[in-house]
Amino acid sequence: MINQDFFAALADLEREKGISQEEFISALETAMVSAYKKSSGDTSGISVRLNPEKKTIKIYSVKNVVDEVVDPDKEIGVEEARLVKKSYKAGDVMETEISPKNFGRIAAQTAKQIVMQKLREIEMNNTVSEFEDKEGELMSCTIRRIEDGNVFVEIGGSQLEGVMSEKDQIPGEKYEVNQKINVFVKKVKNAGKLARVMVSRSSVGLVKRLFENEVPEIKQGIVEIKGVARDAGQRTKIAIYSNDPSVDALGACVGNKGARVNAIVAELGGEKIDIIPWSENPLEFIAKALSPAKVIKVIELDGENSARAIVPDDKLSLAIGRSGQNARLAVKLTGWKIDVKSESAAIAEGDEFGESAEIPATESAE
């Protein structure tokens, strides 16, 4: 039914691709039962067994030995079973080898289909496993098609398709077929033939990886990214900190004449980037996070992680930002609720804020 070459091929697959014969044989036996029933119309119990050592395939009719037969296709009475073997009793399983005509061709076709299917599944699983290690990484890819607002990309010539949904795209960014783009790998989903990689250009992870690529001090762990808040396509605030007092974190991220941060801004299509020096003092950190606005003082309010930032009258709109964006991103970055108030309003309401605080500079990349 299946010749010796077939079993030799199974052995080769185990050696070359690490695919166990047992896995193939189990799948083949299940598929051949289905194929036999479909070709013969037989609804009775059937078992198919492949023996790689003897290089044989055998088909058995399988029936449960019972005292009273209810389903003749799957059951046989004790007395009838004992005509075949006297030791049979209720509860035993009787197997009788059968030799169906013309099943050799069907078995061979089924075996070929299962082998090809298993190979595809295993290769896909291997590819998925490989890409699972890429989650959270920055990868270069090529746009292959755009459908229903989704951008489908080819990543490194793999079998997996990357998908960038509308929410993962940078608003206003234009995409074209065959265009090469950098993406952040969010998630690898394995659903058989539908296995695909979910990628993003709107994720804060993209900004982190771009800074790691452009700033050697970050990759080396000398400068640390403490947090990122982002309105994709408009503005990003990134908090950084130097673990080495001799290394200026701000200067490292900006680069000579702004080369490093400008390269990231260009990659993001002109998105503004505020580089914020992180501080373990949350009030000082809040003042820096409201960059590019100057902050006079930050006062902690009653309630958990709540503060008021007082700014010069002419900097109020800058501190709040268009549609509240600047203040909103500062809230995301610091994790504090921030009430931004002008100096004159604070005085009128009786806030006591004393002398102006000295707030270290931040860098804003337009």
Side-chain angles (χ1 to χ4, degrees):
M1 217 175 269
I2 297 179
N3 61 28
Q4 293 187 5
D5 290 341
F6 171 77
F7 288 99
L10 287 187
D12 289 340
L13 286 172
E14 186 168 32
R15 283 193 304 270
E16 295 173 8
K17 294 186 176 290
I19 305 169
S20 69
Q21 288 192 52
E22 289 79 6
E23 185 177 358
F24 266 127
I25 287 172
S26 176
L28 281 167
E29 289 174 345
T30 300
M32 285 183 182
V33 168
S34 178
Y36 171 76
K37 288 185 175 183
K38 185 176 181 180
S39 65
S40 66
D42 190 346
T43 59
S44 62
I46 296 295
S47 175
V48 176
R49 293 180 192 164
L50 281 79
N51 188 326
E53 293 181 359
K54 295 181 179 180
K55 298 179 175 55
T56 60
I57 175 172
K58 293 184 178 181
I59 303 177
Y60 297 88
S61 171
V62 182
K63 294 190 176 184
N64 295 319
V65 180
V66 296
D67 290 321
E68 183 177 349
V69 176
V70 177
D71 185 351
D73 285 338
K74 298 179 181 178
E75 298 172 339
I76 186 171
V78 174
E79 296 302 321
E80 185 179 352
R82 284 176 177 170
L83 295 175
V84 178
K85 186 177 179 181
K86 293 182 179 181
S87 61
Y88 277 130
K89 60 183 182 299
D92 287 345
V93 176
M94 186 177 83
E95 296 184 334
T96 306
E97 185 177 354
I98 55 179
S99 301
K101 294 181 179 179
N102 301 322
F103 189 63
R105 178 181 56 81
I106 295 172
Q109 289 176 344
T110 302
K112 182 179 179 181
Q113 291 171 357
I114 292 298
V115 168
M116 297 305 296
Q117 177 184 333
K118 276 293 176 183
L119 280 174
R120 286 193 296 268
E121 287 178 4
I122 291 166
E123 288 176 355
M124 180 62 73
N125 287 336
N126 289 342
T127 304
V128 168
S129 296
E130 175 189 342
F131 271 88
E132 282 176 343
D133 295 335
K134 304 293 185 183
E135 285 186 8
E137 296 297 320
L138 182 71
M139 299 194 74
S140 177
C141 61
T142 304
I143 296 175
R144 288 306 179 209
R145 56 193 174 94
I146 300 171
E147 295 178 2
D148 299 324
N150 297 316
V151 177
F152 297 84
V153 301
E154 176 186 302
I155 303 179
S158 71
Q159 300 179 54
L160 289 185
E161 184 174 58
V163 183
M164 184 165 60
S165 66
E166 287 188 83
K167 68 177 183 180
D168 283 310
Q169 298 167 24
I170 295 178
E173 191 168 59
K174 302 299 182 182
Y175 304 104
E176 298 179 356
V177 174
N178 294 325
Q179 177 185 352
K180 292 187 180 299
I181 58 173
N182 289 318
V183 297
F184 177 75
V185 180
K186 288 177 58 180
K187 185 71 177 176
V188 178
K189 292 186 176 182
N190 187 1
K193 294 180 180 179
L194 298 178
R196 56 179 49 167
V197 183
M198 309 306 295
V199 300
S200 176
R201 279 185 58 79
S202 65
S203 169
V204 297
L206 178 69
V207 176
K208 287 181 180 179
R209 293 294 177 243
L210 288 172
F211 267 92
E212 287 176 2
N213 283 358
E214 287 292 335
V215 183
E217 291 86 349
I218 293 179
K219 188 168 289 186
Q220 294 164 8
I222 300 171
V223 173
E224 183 179 349
I225 296 175
K226 288 289 190 176
V228 179
R230 186 183 185 201
D231 273 354
Q234 297 182 48
R235 193 176 212 103
T236 285
K237 290 183 182 290
I238 179 169
I240 45 93
Y241 176 76
S242 176
N243 293 306
D244 184 343
S246 66
V247 175
D248 175 20
L250 189 60
C253 291
V254 173
N256 185 29
K257 296 182 180 179
R260 290 175 178 176
V261 70
N262 287 338
I264 296 170
V265 169
E267 171 63 33
L268 298 178
E271 186 173 315
K272 296 179 175 66
I273 298 177
D274 298 332
I275 304 174
I276 313 295
W278 179 83
S279 173
E280 62 182 7
N281 181 332
L283 302 185
E284 184 179 335
F285 185 32
I286 289 169
K288 297 173 184 176
L290 285 168
S291 170
K294 175 179 174 59
V295 176
I296 297 172
K297 187 154 187 176
V298 179
I299 304 168
E300 186 171 0
L301 302 177
D302 291 336
E304 186 177 357
N305 291 352
S306 183
R308 174 169 297 141
I310 300 170
V311 301
D313 289 12
D314 62 348
K315 300 297 182 185
L316 181 61
S317 61
L318 184 62
I320 294 173
R322 182 180 297 176
S323 302
Q325 181 189 70
N326 196 60
R328 184 174 62 251
L329 289 177
V331 168
K332 286 183 182 180
L333 190 66
T334 63
W336 279 59
K337 296 177 182 177
I338 305 172
D339 173 30
V340 181
K341 185 176 289 188
S342 69
E343 183 178 12
S344 60
I347 293 173
E349 293 181 19
D351 280 334
E352 297 180 2
F353 51 91
E355 297 179 0
S356 299
E358 185 68 28
I359 305 299
T362 60
E363 183 74 19
S364 179
E366 298 295 327

